[in-house]
Amino acid sequence: MVKGITGRWVLNTLCVIVAIILFAVVALSFIVSTYFYSSVEQNLSGRSVELSNILSEFNSDSDVAFSSAARDYVENFPEKEQMEITVINSSGLILVNSTGFTQDTSISMPDYDAAKTSSASYAKWVGRLPSGEKVTAVTRMVKNSEGDTVCAIRYVTSMSEIDKVVIGAIIVFSLVGLLIIAFVVFSGTYFIRSIVRPVQNITDTAKKIAQGDFNAQIDKMYDDEIGDLSDSINDMARALGAADRMKNDFISSVSHELRTPLTAIKGWAETMQGSDVPDKETFDKGMGIIVKESARLTGIVEELLDFSRMQNNQMMLMKEKLDVIAELDEVIYMMRDRAQNEGKHLLYDQPEIVAPVMADRNKLKQVFINIIDNALKYTPQEGVIGIQLVLSDELIKVVVTDTGCGIAPDDLPRVKDKFFKANQSVRGSGIGLAIADEIMALHGGTLDIESGIGVGTTVTLTLPLAE
Ligand code: ADP
């Protein structure tokens, strides 16, 4: 059994075409053979009418003039070679025969027998002579003006030549039919191959991709729908490869992120556990670092949990009416020391206004922390981080500007994608902006980034004001 597309093509197309061609060959052969046989009969019938008209003028076949008229016609008949004429008298005896031989009267003449009883006084017979030769014979009963039968005239012609022509035509039709089928099979096979091969190729490559080989690419064979499919699968493999690399980078970044505070905590814990009891100053410093690094660890784990909730669409907001500026003040207060320690200038003029919004306090702070943390992370010493507020009737904008490294134009559209890191040399998991953007969207706000390499970055957070 032929399976797949080839099988369906054989069943739906080839079988139908073969059936149509078979039908056409049979129908054409039938039409040709009917045409030739009926032309022969028409010819014989026409001839018989001709002689019948001559002989019907006589009243009886015993008339001398009748015999001589019949003989005369038969002897001078121009197509004697092609057909045999027999005149049979009313007693059933053969009067004249164009072959010149007296025919055996016992020979079977079904057309003569039928014509005698036929109301049309005419009958036709197609059959084989005792010699095996195939013939067409017609018999016409000749009647005089009174309606009495004068004689019967019989025309017989061999069908051997006609049969040869008919068989020749059937052979030609069959050959043409076979030629058409061969052409259909050839072109169909070529067409099917042009589909099956690329599909097989795509299947093999898709299997490789499924097994994790994201470098597998399909050779595009044709510039058609299958070519488009190949392009899409190649793009998909590249995208999966990139996503896989990003995932691996993410795991390694997160591991580093977790290891740094853990190393500090472990180091200080061991110092304090050691035999020498540390002095109060060292103890306080160690405990301070342990607390700070634990908080950092908690922050990382919280971020990961948030990311996981975001992926499962399970991030819940506990909204309440609050003042954005108060929350921002708190975050900036927290960040000031760090900016100072890192030698960066954090510029913020606390405005004497209130900007009420409906928001989740912790999530909103998390966004501010993330954006200001990025600004500090990607800005070198002596760099400036400015925070401004723009208040309109319905919106409040928090604009965080830095004079840091900036983001390349190619990377800018992707920085909000999960796991994406434009800058591999700086610590970070690549999910901070993705989470911040999601939180802003859940508050009905936006997070927009403008940046230029060497110029710096501006992040604008927009929130709708509460009534
Ligand atoms: P990360 O934890 O790596 O900072 P984010 O999602 O917060 O992840 O940021 C994604 C990427 O965007 C960063 O890796 C960095 O390349 C770029 N980026 C974000 N903020 C800034 C900024 N203020 N200046 C320069 N690049 C930035």
Side-chain angles (χ1 to χ4, degrees), residues 253 257 303 370-379 400-402 404-408 411 414-424 426-436 449 451 456-459:
S253 305
E257 289 275 289
E303 191 179 60
N370 191 290
I371 301 303
I372 299 171
D373 175 65
N374 275 353
L376 286 167
K377 247 184 354 186
Y378 298 105
T379 303
V400 181
T401 317
D402 66 58
C405 61
I407 304 165
D411 293 334
R414 302 175 61 198
V415 287
K416 288 199 272 180
D417 291 352
K418 57 188 179 189
F419 309 140
F420 182 80
K421 284 180 74 174
N423 197 328
Q424 297 293 343
V426 182
R427 68 173 174 83
S429 54
I431 56 173
L433 281 182
I435 297 172
I449 307 175
S451 189
T457 304
T458 301
V459 179

Side-chain angles (χ1 to χ4, degrees), residues 239-295:
L240 283 174
D244 193 53
R245 277 191 298 280
M246 270 191 185
K247 182 202 72 189
N248 292 340
D249 290 349
F250 171 71
I251 292 171
S252 116
S253 305
V254 169
S255 310
H256 274 102
E257 289 275 289
L258 293 173
R259 200 173 58 183
T260 315
L262 277 176
T263 311
I265 293 169
K266 187 166 171 258
W268 279 103
E270 278 170 0
T271 306
M272 283 186 268
Q273 208 185 25
S275 50
D276 296 339
V277 178
D279 55 53
K280 170 100 173 75
E281 195 185 335
T282 314
F283 184 83
D284 286 349
K285 188 181 172 197
M287 283 311 280
I289 288 175
I290 288 174
V291 169
K292 200 179 106 202
E293 294 301 319
S294 303

Side-chain angles (χ1 to χ4, degrees), residues 42 54 122 131 137 162 171 327-328 339 377 392 436 460:
Q42 267 171 21
I54 297 170
Y122 173 85
S131 61
I162 298 292
I171 290 174
E327 303 309 318
L328 184 66
K377 247 184 354 186
S392 69
T460 308

Side-chain angles (χ1 to χ4, degrees), residues 166-420:
V166 170
I167 289 171
I170 293 174
I171 290 174
V172 169
F173 293 149
S174 307
L175 283 178
V176 171
L178 281 176
L179 220 69
I180 295 174
I181 292 173
F183 176 75
V184 169
V185 169
F186 180 75
S187 69
T189 313
Y190 177 78
F191 176 67
I192 295 287
R193 274 211 195 142
S194 74
I195 294 176
V196 170
R197 276 231 208 110
V199 168
Q200 190 58 49
N201 199 355
I202 290 172
T203 310
D204 293 345
T205 312
K207 277 184 191 158
K208 283 189 198 161
I209 296 170
Q211 282 160 8
D213 177 4
F214 302 122
N215 291 323
Q217 291 278 297
I218 301 162
D219 291 335
K220 191 175 172 182
M221 290 179 164
Y222 303 97
D223 201 5
D224 55 6
E225 287 87 345
I226 295 186
D228 292 346
L229 177 65
S230 308
D231 281 345
S232 304
I233 291 179
N234 285 343
D235 289 347
M236 184 192 76
R238 274 191 287 270
L240 283 174
D244 193 53
R245 277 191 298 280
M246 270 191 185
K247 182 202 72 189
N248 292 340
D249 290 349
F250 171 71
I251 292 171
S252 116
S253 305
V254 169
S255 310
H256 274 102
E257 289 275 289
L258 293 173
R259 200 173 58 183
T260 315
L262 277 176
T263 311
I265 293 169
K266 187 166 171 258
W268 279 103
E270 278 170 0
T271 306
M272 283 186 268
Q273 208 185 25
S275 50
D276 296 339
V277 178
D279 55 53
K280 170 100 173 75
E281 195 185 335
T282 314
F283 184 83
D284 286 349
K285 188 181 172 197
M287 283 311 280
I289 288 175
I290 288 174
V291 169
K292 200 179 106 202
E293 294 301 319
S294 303
R296 196 166 133 194
L297 271 181
T298 311
I300 296 169
V301 173
E302 282 298 331
E303 191 179 60
L304 290 174
L305 286 174
D306 265 339
F307 178 69
S308 152
R309 283 187 209 113
M310 185 181 97
Q311 288 301 96
N312 299 324
N313 285 327
Q314 283 174 348
M315 196 185 271
M316 303 285 281
L317 295 187
M318 308 274 283
K319 281 190 187 175
E320 58 186 307
K321 197 167 182 178
L322 50 85
D323 177 20
V324 182
I325 298 168
E327 303 309 318
L328 184 66
D329 287 348
E330 258 187 54
V331 172
I332 293 173
Y333 182 77
M334 259 167 51
M335 292 291 200
R336 259 190 208 291
D337 280 353
R338 176 176 155 197
Q340 209 167 13
N341 291 341
E342 292 178 5
K344 298 164 192 174
H345 306 284
L346 191 63
L347 306 183
Y348 172 62
D349 282 336
Q350 191 178 344
E352 295 299 319
I353 50 169
V354 177
V357 293
M358 285 302 291
D360 183 312
R361 192 182 302 274
N362 291 327
K363 295 274 183 286
L364 199 59
K365 270 179 158 171
Q366 192 183 335
V367 173
F368 294 150
I369 292 171
N370 191 290
I371 301 303
I372 299 171
D373 175 65
N374 275 353
L376 286 167
K377 247 184 354 186
Y378 298 105
T379 303
Q381 260 190 346
E382 295 308 319
V384 180
I385 292 106
I387 298 153
Q388 284 170 333
L389 287 160
V390 182
L391 193 69
S392 69
D393 283 351
E394 291 171 352
L395 300 169
I396 168 93
K397 289 187 180 191
V398 179
V399 186
V400 181
T401 317
D402 66 58
T403 56
C405 61
I407 304 165
D410 281 354
D411 293 334
L412 194 57
R414 302 175 61 198
V415 287
K416 288 199 272 180
D417 291 352
K418 57 188 179 189
F419 309 140
F420 182 80

Side-chain angles (χ1 to χ4, degrees), residues 35-108:
Y35 170 75
F36 277 104
Y37 271 69
S38 68
S39 338
V40 168
E41 193 210 333
Q42 267 171 21
N43 190 17
L44 296 180
S45 166
R47 290 297 183 182
S48 72
V49 168
E50 199 177 271
L51 181 55
S52 168
N53 286 342
I54 297 170
L55 298 180
S56 63
E57 286 169 12
F58 298 92
N59 277 334
S60 143
D61 56 15
S62 55
D63 208 327
V64 180
F66 167 82
S67 306
S68 83
R71 240 177 229 110
D72 202 33
Y73 176 85
V74 170
E75 273 163 21
N76 295 314
F77 186 64
E79 290 174 49
K80 266 195 290 190
E81 296 299 315
Q82 282 90 45
M83 57 184 81
E84 178 190 333
I85 314 169
T86 311
V87 179
I88 305 161
N89 68 13
S90 51
S91 325
L93 294 171
I94 290 169
L95 204 65
V96 192
N97 181 272
S98 62
T99 57
F101 301 106
T102 317
Q103 236 185 4
D104 182 2
T105 45
S106 65
I107 193 166
S108 140

